[in-house]
């Protein structure tokens, strides 16, 4: 009997789809992505003219357009399967936009509310609570896993590395696998 290894990246991307599908209609479209950007802006009380808000909006728009470009469909909405496929392609095609790292920088700048170039426990708890609406008892365990050097804060480099792992690692125990829940 042969066993097939679980495609952890696909599972992560499917969970991402479910988290992004704001109206739960089984499709992603620009309005779902726009709502995601607005969740960050609202959760952190950012003015739409704040550079961090503008960066999140711009990156969200570029990410959405890259997904459409790589989806192979002629519509402006994606099914879960189309999203997973397009996300995989967009993550490796950095010819126009580095989805894995660009997203991490834009999000990091918003989460790092005090601007000290690291995400502390309180900032991360706020991110989980206010953006992802997660108050699961083990949610803060993610912080410990992302803080790979154990200094009590998530550096920009740790955050970017985790985002890259999210898109590329099939290791369910990699810290980046934790962005949208355990695999």
């Amino acid at each position: 009997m042969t066993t097939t290894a679980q495609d952890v990246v696909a599972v992560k991307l499917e969970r991402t789809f479910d988290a992004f599908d704001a109206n739960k209609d089984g499709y992603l479209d620009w309005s779902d992505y726009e709502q995601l950007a607005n969740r960050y802006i609202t959760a952190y009380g950012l003015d739409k003219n704040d550079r961090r808000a503008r960066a999140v909006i711009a990156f969200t728009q570029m990410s959405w357009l890259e997904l459409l470009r790589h989806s192979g469909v002629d519509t402006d909405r994606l099914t879960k399967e189309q999203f997973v496929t397009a996300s995989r392609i967009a993550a490796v095609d950095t010819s126009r936009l580095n989805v894995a790292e660009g997203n991490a920088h834009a999000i990091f700048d918003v989460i790092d509310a005090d601007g000290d170039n690291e995400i502390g426990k309180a900032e991360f708890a706020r991110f989980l609570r206010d953006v992802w609406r997660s108050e699961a008892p083990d949610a803060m365990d993610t912080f410990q896993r992302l803080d790979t050097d154990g200094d009590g804060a998530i550096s920009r480099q740790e955050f970017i590395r985790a985002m890259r792992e999210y898109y590329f690692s099939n290791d369910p125990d990699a810290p980046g696998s934790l962005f949208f829940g355990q695999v």
Side-chain angles (χ1 to χ4, degrees), residues 10-168:
V11 171
K12 291 185 285 191
L13 291 171
E14 288 169 356
R15 288 187 180 164
T16 300
F17 179 95
D18 294 339
F20 285 12
D21 185 9
N23 62 4
K24 304 301 180 204
D25 67 353
Y27 293 93
L28 289 184
D29 58 29
W30 168 242
S31 68
D32 294 305
Y33 266 65
E34 188 174 37
Q35 285 184 44
L36 174 64
N38 286 332
R39 280 198 334 232
Y40 281 98
I41 292 165
T42 301
Y44 286 89
L46 301 176
D47 181 276
K48 292 242 182 189
N49 292 317
D50 184 292
R51 68 166 179 77
R52 295 168 297 165
R54 291 190 330 255
V56 167
I57 291 168
F59 193 83
T60 303
Q61 289 171 332
M62 290 184 292
S63 296
W64 175 245
L65 293 173
E66 283 299 288
L67 286 174
L68 290 178
R69 182 169 80 94
H70 291 298
S71 70
V73 298
D74 291 330
T75 65
D76 284 346
R77 67 184 201 163
L78 301 175
T79 65
K80 187 180 287 189
E81 182 179 333
Q82 292 164 339
F83 172 79
V84 169
T85 300
S87 293
R88 286 177 179 273
I89 296 168
V92 296
D93 177 8
T94 58
S95 63
R96 291 187 188 175
L97 176 69
N98 188 326
V99 173
E101 292 184 18
N103 189 28
H105 282 289
I107 293 170
F108 184 93
D109 288 341
V110 172
I111 298 171
D112 179 21
D114 63 8
D116 65 354
N117 211 33
E118 61 185 22
I119 298 171
K121 287 181 180 178
E123 290 169 322
F124 193 75
R126 180 180 183 187
F127 165 68
L128 292 174
R129 182 188 65 243
D130 296 348
V131 175
W132 293 112
R133 299 175 183 118
S134 173
E135 297 196 38
D138 60 346
M140 282 306 289
D141 292 347
T142 304
F143 180 89
Q144 302 301 333
R145 304 261 322 270
L146 295 175
D147 178 19
T148 57
D149 64 7
D151 69 353
I154 301 168
S155 69
R156 183 177 298 271
Q157 293 73 28
E158 288 169 323
F159 195 78
I160 291 167
R161 180 176 44 245
M163 188 65 79
R164 288 192 56 73
E165 287 174 352
Y166 177 78
Y167 282 103
F168 299 113

